[in-house]
Amino acid sequence: MNKITIEPVTRVEGHGKVTIHMDDNLNISQTRLHIVEFRGFERFVQGRPYWEAPVLVQRLCGICPVSHHLAAAKALDVIVGAGTGDGLTLVGEKMRRLMHYGQMFQSHALHFFHLASPDLLLGYDSDPALRNVIGVALKHPDLAVQGVMMRKFGQEIIAATAGKKIHGTGAIPGGINKNLTIEERDRFLKGADPMNIDKMIEWSLAALELFKGYQKQNKDFVDNFAVFPSNHLSLVRKDGALDLYHGVLRAVDKDGKKILNDVDYQEYSKYINEEVRSWSYMKFPFLTSIGKKDGWYTVGPLARLNTCDFIPTPLAQKAFEEYKAYTGGKPNHMSLHMHWARLIETLHAAEMIKILLNDKDLQSTDLVKKGKKLSEGVGVIEAPRGTLFHHYRINEDDQITMANLIVSTTNNNEPMNRAVNFVANKMMTGKKEITEGMKNAVEIAIRAYDPCLSCATHALGKMPLDIKMLDANDNVIDNYHS
Amino acid sequence: MASFFKLTIMKTLIYGYGNPGRQDDALGIRLAEKMEEWIREENITNIEVDYNYQLNIEDADRISDFELVIFTDASIEEMNDFLFTEVNPSEATIEFTMHAVSPSFVIDLCKKLYGKTPKTFLVHIKGYEFDFIEELTENANLNLAKATSFLKEKIKELTK
């Protein structure tokens, strides 16, 4: 029996539904990716003491609780007067970064080895029952072990920095509640093979080479699958470097022109708005200055490598230069290149983990900083899937009176819809049934964005996919349920 | 009692999973905690207890050193209070996003990566509500108590 959560049919949560409307000539007239977003958490947190938020928000998600934990803590840093992300003590900021890079490393490794590599190594049209890490284990056991151990290494970094695996308490308003012991540090630096950071860097490089080799051999497919122009948004460090933990908000248009020029995310609501569409519970964020129609944007690995100017670690920077050269320095709009970008970030995360482990500041005991209390704060972080916003207001009794969260998958709502539309037009025009190949293509397009619905739904991350093909009169022509 | 376990028990892992912040979804974790208390009280040395939000691929490595693995989880399946079932690798299923995997997937992966298949069982306990609340519902608590008593006896039986 499978892990049971809330079935989509009974709770209408946590499932993706694709509808493809055809006209009388079997041309695609409309496609929609429906993702049901559960907004109950923002109401739930109201009235709770603000200092509980970094732990409470982990109830949202069993997939990336660290991202919510840190985004909430960053917002509360502002409220307790510790500044806006760069005002913490050295050990405070660096421990949080270590936790975050551990999360990024394990999440990206999971995505590559569990979701992407089966498609690459076994073929997009291979048996779906084996197109997963078990299939990889059968044909490429060494690679599957790498995936398992990379994921495990990242999880252990999280446990060491957050204090425990579930409902970690490492980040608190104004800092952290523990530093890294010498024993913990040495376990990651000098652990028995393969559980040490040098092996993780080596494997990250190997995974990157694996993708590049695949792309070279399958250039036509990889470079032409779900390609569409987009704006891109992410945090960048103030000097333009890739920074997954803290920075300013930058957005570029399809040609790379800055359309949001390194602004303070405390004022994100000036620049970003959310559109409600009648057919979807999930909102559609957009840049206010450009408007609803053209102001939508992509977040995540592809976006981050489109917005940043450089990567501040040597091996990832070298990979970044090669990646950027491929598009002549222009923004990359190829959905499957998301995997390439994700693996460069995996390498960067591993390099950052090594740098941080060797930093003696992590053994400092100056854990917390506080100043003049404020009534409002915003925390933004680059979660594995993209930019994550947490915004809180509190009253005189220290109770939260308002919470607003914009999660990464919501930010990617429009681009995921565009990707589905691209695939439907290319593969389903003139067809009357959903073939296995079509279904795979829709899944591949959505999966490239690594959507996680647990933020909006239940803890498990279970996500069945329904695809419905409808005629001009809304009659179902064909139906697929995973 | 303690000496009996010290001498005879198989190397066992009890692994609870679920989100303890989502009401009855915590049932798997709570059962694992109850068993941990019992292990401590009885001074049993060969049973480990672990927890997580959900199972994932690294758990294939985690279980690979054990002879007996008992996963514990919440369920909304039709049942009176709890079910105890053996898990086989052949029942492995996949989800669209693969952000979490099933117990059968974990042991199947363990078998393929390490050539080991620990004897594996799943205790699934009936849950009723899954809101943003730390406490179990009253009925879930009753089910937890029954499952706890059952599992203590079952472990004695399995490890004889």
Side-chain angles (χ1 to χ4, degrees):
Chain A
M1 191 171 292
N2 293 328
K3 156 82 184 190
I4 301 301
T5 176
I6 301 158
E7 287 295 329
V9 285
T10 56
R11 288 290 295 254
V12 202
E13 293 176 1
H15 69 298
K17 186 173 81 175
V18 173
T19 54
I20 296 153
H21 290 258
M22 323 283 278
D23 64 16
D24 291 337
N25 298 315
L26 294 179
N27 291 312
I28 307 292
S29 58
Q30 183 189 73
T31 60
R32 283 173 173 171
L33 168 63
H34 310 250
I35 294 175
V36 180
E37 183 177 31
F38 181 62
R39 305 286 289 183
F41 183 79
E42 290 160 330
R43 289 194 302 276
F44 158 75
V45 78
Q46 288 174 16
R48 304 293 293 250
Y50 72 82
W51 54 81
E52 289 184 356
V55 175
L56 287 176
V57 292
Q58 294 173 81
R59 296 183 186 190
L60 275 168
C61 180
I63 307 302
C64 47
V66 170
S67 300
H68 285 295
H69 180 57
L70 290 173
K74 287 184 73 179
L76 298 174
D77 292 343
V78 181
I79 285 177
V80 301
T84 59
D86 45 10
L88 300 184
T89 63
L90 289 173
V91 63
E93 179 176 338
K94 289 175 182 178
M95 278 293 284
R96 287 193 190 178
R97 282 184 177 274
L98 182 59
M99 190 191 311
H100 187 47
Y101 287 111
Q103 155 87 350
M104 191 68 68
F105 183 76
Q106 62 85 18
S107 178
H108 279 4
L110 177 69
H111 187 275
F112 179 71
F113 286 99
H114 205 11
L115 290 173
S117 76
D119 288 338
L120 272 49
L121 295 167
L122 310 174
Y124 284 96
D125 51 357
S126 61
D127 179 1
L130 288 175
R131 197 158 16 90
N132 54 60
V133 74
I134 286 180
V136 174
L138 282 170
K139 282 199 168 182
H140 307 274
D142 292 348
L143 207 59
V145 169
Q146 286 180 24
V148 167
M149 300 313 283
M150 285 171 77
R151 163 96 179 165
K152 185 176 179 177
F153 186 86
Q155 291 283 69
E156 292 192 2
I157 290 270
I158 292 169
T161 49
K164 50 186 181 174
K165 282 204 279 192
I166 294 184
H167 288 186
T169 55
I172 57 176
I176 51 162
N177 68 4
K178 79 178 283 288
N179 63 10
L180 195 74
T181 65
I182 296 290
E183 293 73 28
E184 287 169 329
R185 181 198 70 184
D186 289 349
R187 181 156 59 89
F188 298 120
L189 276 177
K190 305 170 190 169
D193 196 55
M195 292 299 281
N196 60 69
I197 189 59
D198 287 325
K199 181 59 80 177
M200 296 300 132
I201 291 172
E202 180 189 323
W203 282 352
S204 301
L205 276 165
L208 180 59
E209 289 306 313
L210 178 70
F211 178 84
K212 282 161 55 184
Y214 177 82
Q215 188 270 340
K216 273 180 192 159
Q217 288 176 1
N218 300 272
K219 191 172 179 307
D220 187 52
F221 173 70
V222 174
D223 292 5
N224 294 297
F225 183 89
V227 183
F228 52 91
S230 170
N231 303 312
H232 297 269
L233 179 138
S234 79
L235 290 177
V236 294
R237 203 166 73 185
K238 284 179 180 170
D239 61 357
L242 177 73
D243 194 327
L244 304 173
Y245 174 75
H246 186 65
V248 288
L249 280 174
R250 177 184 289 184
V252 299
D253 69 9
K254 64 182 174 59
D255 299 315
K257 179 188 164 194
K258 284 182 192 170
I259 50 177
L260 192 60
N261 198 352
D262 300 357
V263 300
D264 181 355
Y265 63 67
Q266 293 303 312
E267 299 182 323
Y268 80 102
S269 59
K270 273 191 194 174
Y271 307 106
I272 293 170
N273 215 321
E274 292 180 275
E275 182 191 5
V276 175
R277 297 184 191 171
S278 61
W279 55 271
S280 176
Y281 288 101
M282 181 174 269
K283 293 178 181 176
F284 287 79
F286 62 93
L287 295 168
T288 309
S289 61
I290 300 178
K292 291 178 187 175
K293 182 172 175 289
D294 298 318
W296 59 275
Y297 52 82
T298 300
V299 299
L302 197 71
R304 289 191 283 256
L305 297 202
N306 281 334
T307 54
C308 77
D309 299 324
F310 66 99
I311 299 181
T313 51
L315 296 173
Q317 170 62 16
K318 190 177 170 196
F320 176 70
E321 287 167 10
E322 184 182 356
Y323 171 88
K324 292 298 284 186
Y326 195 78
T327 53
K330 292 288 185 187
N332 189 327
H333 300 295
M334 294 171 265
S335 290
L336 289 188
H337 283 221
M338 192 90 77
H339 299 310
W340 192 349
R342 191 175 282 116
L343 288 167
I344 293 172
E345 288 191 340
T346 308
L347 177 59
H348 171 61
E351 289 184 285
M352 285 301 300
I353 289 169
K354 184 170 182 179
I355 289 168
L356 287 163
L357 289 172
N358 281 302
D359 192 326
K360 288 186 169 48
D361 285 339
L362 286 182
Q363 280 77 51
S364 164
T365 54
D366 186 13
L367 306 182
V368 179
K369 185 177 173 185
K370 292 190 178 176
K372 187 183 174 193
K373 201 158 84 178
L374 301 175
S375 61
E376 186 170 3
V378 177
V380 178
I381 198 160
E382 284 298 323
R385 292 155 192 85
T387 318
L388 170 65
F389 297 78
H390 276 225
H391 180 188
Y392 301 97
R393 284 196 201 107
I394 65 166
N395 62 18
E396 291 169 353
D397 297 324
D398 289 340
Q399 294 168 320
I400 294 170
T401 57
M402 188 282 296
N404 185 45
L405 276 59
I406 308 176
V407 302
S408 316
T409 297
T410 303
N411 280 312
N412 272 333
N413 199 357
E414 180 67 25
M416 287 193 294
N417 269 276
R418 300 260 169 168
V420 169
N421 183 268
F422 183 100
V423 170
N425 270 294
K426 192 165 184 178
M427 298 191 69
M428 297 184 182
T429 300
K431 310 286 194 227
K432 284 187 176 177
E433 63 175 343
I434 303 167
T435 64
E436 186 66 27
M438 291 174 191
K439 188 223 39 161
N440 288 349
V442 170
E443 285 196 0
I444 289 161
I446 300 170
R447 274 204 310 239
Y449 293 84
D450 196 16
C452 174
L453 305 183
S454 294
C455 299
T457 62
H458 187 52
L460 181 58
K462 194 173 180 178
M463 183 181 166
L465 181 69
D466 290 308
I467 305 175
K468 272 198 176 108
M469 188 183 267
L470 303 139
D471 68 14
N473 298 313
D474 281 349
N475 298 311
V476 176
I477 304 171
D478 198 9
N479 192 13
Y480 168 82
H481 179 78
S482 67
Chain B
M1 178 68 73
S3 58
F4 164 81
F5 277 109
K6 277 180 184 171
L7 289 172
T8 63
I9 205 160
M10 296 162 76
K11 193 175 181 193
T12 301
L13 175 68
I14 298 172
Y15 194 130
Y17 60 99
N19 189 336
R22 295 296 293 267
Q23 216 168 0
D24 291 350
D25 200 36
L27 275 165
I29 304 274
R30 297 289 171 253
L31 177 55
E33 287 172 348
K34 295 275 185 192
M35 298 308 294
E36 194 167 34
E37 286 172 22
W38 175 65
I39 290 161
R40 195 165 45 241
E41 286 165 8
E42 299 287 342
N43 196 26
I44 301 167
T45 55
N46 217 17
I47 302 181
E48 286 184 32
V49 179
D50 205 351
Y51 316 88
N52 214 332
Y53 288 104
Q54 66 275 308
L55 300 179
N56 219 307
I57 60 173
E58 67 275 16
D59 293 315
D61 181 74
R62 180 75 178 100
I63 69 169
S64 63
D65 286 337
F66 293 89
E67 296 165 275
L68 173 65
V69 176
I70 299 172
F71 292 112
T72 63
D73 185 21
S75 174
I76 59 165
E77 291 286 297
E78 283 299 320
M79 66 181 78
N80 289 328
D81 36 37
F82 70 91
L83 287 174
F84 180 80
T85 52
E86 185 160 7
V87 182
N88 295 303
S90 57
E91 296 160 348
T93 55
I94 58 166
E95 302 290 343
F96 168 57
T97 61
M98 305 301 292
H99 287 138
V101 299
S102 65
S104 51
F105 189 100
V106 171
I107 55 172
D108 195 18
L109 186 58
C110 180
K111 181 182 174 187
K112 291 185 170 68
L113 291 182
Y114 304 108
K116 296 176 183 174
T117 313
K119 195 165 186 60
T120 305
F121 294 90
L122 171 63
V123 183
H124 23 122
I125 311 168
K126 177 79 172 177
Y128 306 91
E129 300 289 337
F130 298 86
D131 289 328
F132 291 115
I133 296 172
E134 292 269 0
E135 292 80 26
L136 298 176
T137 60
E138 192 177 337
N139 284 334
N141 258 318
L142 293 173
N143 295 345
L144 173 63
K146 289 179 188 173
T148 305
S149 299
F150 169 84
L151 189 55
K152 287 176 185 173
E153 293 304 312
K154 198 70 188 174
I155 285 178
K156 291 177 194 171
E157 176 190 323
L158 287 169
T159 53
K160 271 181 185 171

